Amino acid sequence: MQSSTRRRVLAASVAGTVGLAGCLSETGDDETTDDSASNTDETEAEAPSVDWESVPEFRRWLTDEPQRAESNRRFDYVDTVTSMFISPAIGFVEEFDDDITGSLVHDGHEIHLGDFDRDAVVDAAASFSGEAGGPTDGIEYERTETYEGYTLFTDGLAVGEDAILWNLRDETATAAIDTRLDRDIRLEAAEPLFTAVFDRLPDGIEVVGQYGPPAGGDVSADEILLWGGTRESLESTDMTWIFVAEDEASVTDELLAELETVAVDPELEVDGQFVRIDGSMGLG
């Protein structure tokens, strides 16, 4: 199996959409130091509760278990079907695009949510073969075992009735499945500030976020613990960001001036340690 080829294939397939959503990242996989232990006692005491039965499905898959070195737990979710979120390395998934309700790229995972005929997807995966001479040349998947209702294949591919999961690492997908089943630590359980961000963001077809400031642009403030953002549509450059500073005292004029650079004609709203920015990414 050509793992280096698979990494290039995934990067090429999602760079356009993920890079636009992140505004400041080329691939959506900005690497920062691990800030998952950033909670203060005060934050934990005021942590918002999560009704896991009613939240959007993708939030149940978000894990705080690092999947890569220096992971920032980056996530990019689209609440629709788009080929830009389907890697050619698992091109057979496009045969089932009518069954997909949303796609998530998260810290090295590609997860397609929906209502699937598991047997049909398993057959398609088992018969998939990369295009000879192309970037997927030599890619094939071998069925290995069944785990908690998911059929596992080599190279971290898993197929269930509710999701098709591909792990960018050459390992099994069991850790991600355990997160979905609430056996492994979820992102919001480890850092309730992400829940506070979700609560403050408007509804959107695309949702992004991560620990630390966005990399690759003008915002590099160490005072930013994490952030999230939404867009109403994939065609729009209008976006809402919620940045979370270390504390209210960290939200200085200098920090606000730096955060304003993420948008064209930004509108700012400050609520304690939370800074909301509405504006255009200016990439259209």
Side-chain angles (χ1 to χ4, degrees):
M1 188 66 61
Q2 301 175 0
S3 59
S4 61
T5 297
R6 294 194 305 113
R7 287 176 172 81
R8 291 195 298 271
V9 167
L10 177 60
S13 68
V14 302
T17 297
V18 172
L20 182 61
C23 178
L24 302 172
S25 168
E26 292 183 356
T27 66
D29 281 333
D30 308 337
E31 293 193 357
T32 63
T33 55
D34 184 354
D35 292 325
S36 60
S38 60
N39 285 356
T40 63
D41 291 340
E42 180 180 359
T43 299
E44 291 176 351
E46 300 174 355
S49 61
V50 181
D51 181 358
W52 292 111
E53 295 302 316
S54 63
V55 300
E57 175 69 11
F58 82 92
R59 288 170 58 178
R60 304 175 200 174
W61 287 92
L62 298 179
T63 180
D64 197 63
E65 184 67 27
Q67 305 300 305
R68 300 171 295 123
E70 300 182 352
S71 167
N72 59 16
R73 319 303 195 272
R74 172 71 183 224
F75 58 88
D76 297 77
Y77 173 73
V78 288
D79 192 33
T80 186
V81 179
T82 171
S83 60
M84 288 185 289
F85 269 59
I86 301 176
S87 168
I90 53 171
F92 64 88
V93 171
E94 294 198 31
E95 300 175 28
F96 305 94
D97 57 4
D98 288 342
D99 302 319
I100 295 175
T101 57
S103 296
L104 171 68
V105 176
H106 175 42
D107 201 31
H109 288 88
E110 185 176 314
I111 303 171
H112 303 285
L113 308 177
D115 184 8
F116 301 101
D117 181 335
R118 177 180 159 193
D119 291 338
V121 180
V122 166
D123 289 343
S127 61
F128 178 79
S129 181
E131 181 182 357
T136 60
D137 189 7
I139 295 180
E140 295 180 348
Y141 298 100
E142 297 180 8
R143 183 172 176 172
T144 58
E145 61 179 309
T146 299
Y147 181 78
E148 296 297 342
Y150 294 83
T151 301
L152 305 186
F153 291 79
T154 52
D155 284 320
L157 176 66
V159 175
E161 294 181 351
D162 63 341
I164 302 170
L165 167 67
W166 181 50
N167 190 339
L168 193 57
R169 301 173 303 154
D170 291 336
E171 298 180 15
T172 67
T174 55
I177 295 170
D178 284 341
T179 298
R180 169 62 183 86
L181 298 175
D182 203 15
R183 295 175 179 173
D184 210 346
I185 188 165
R186 286 173 169 164
L187 184 64
E188 293 176 67
E191 180 50 274
L193 285 171
F194 276 111
T195 303
V197 167
F198 287 133
D199 289 346
R200 286 168 168 79
L201 283 171
D203 292 336
I205 199 169
E206 184 170 26
V207 187
V208 300
Q210 67 179 62
Y211 282 116
D218 296 328
V219 178
S220 59
D222 292 336
E223 297 89 346
I224 297 301
L225 297 178
L226 55 91
W227 65 278
T230 57
R231 279 198 295 167
E232 289 187 358
S233 73
L234 298 181
E235 293 75 27
S236 174
T237 60
D238 291 337
M239 186 165 176
T240 297
W241 294 262
I242 302 290
F243 291 96
V244 184
E246 291 179 345
D247 50 39
E248 185 173 354
S250 300
V251 184
T252 62
D253 290 342
E254 290 77 11
L255 177 62
L256 294 177
E258 187 170 347
L259 294 180
E260 281 184 328
T261 63
V262 302
V264 177
D265 297 327
E267 296 181 3
L268 273 70
E269 179 180 329
V270 178
D271 178 15
Q273 70 186 124
F274 298 90
V275 179
R276 171 172 172 157
I277 298 179
D278 293 277
S280 171
M281 293 182 288
L283 301 179

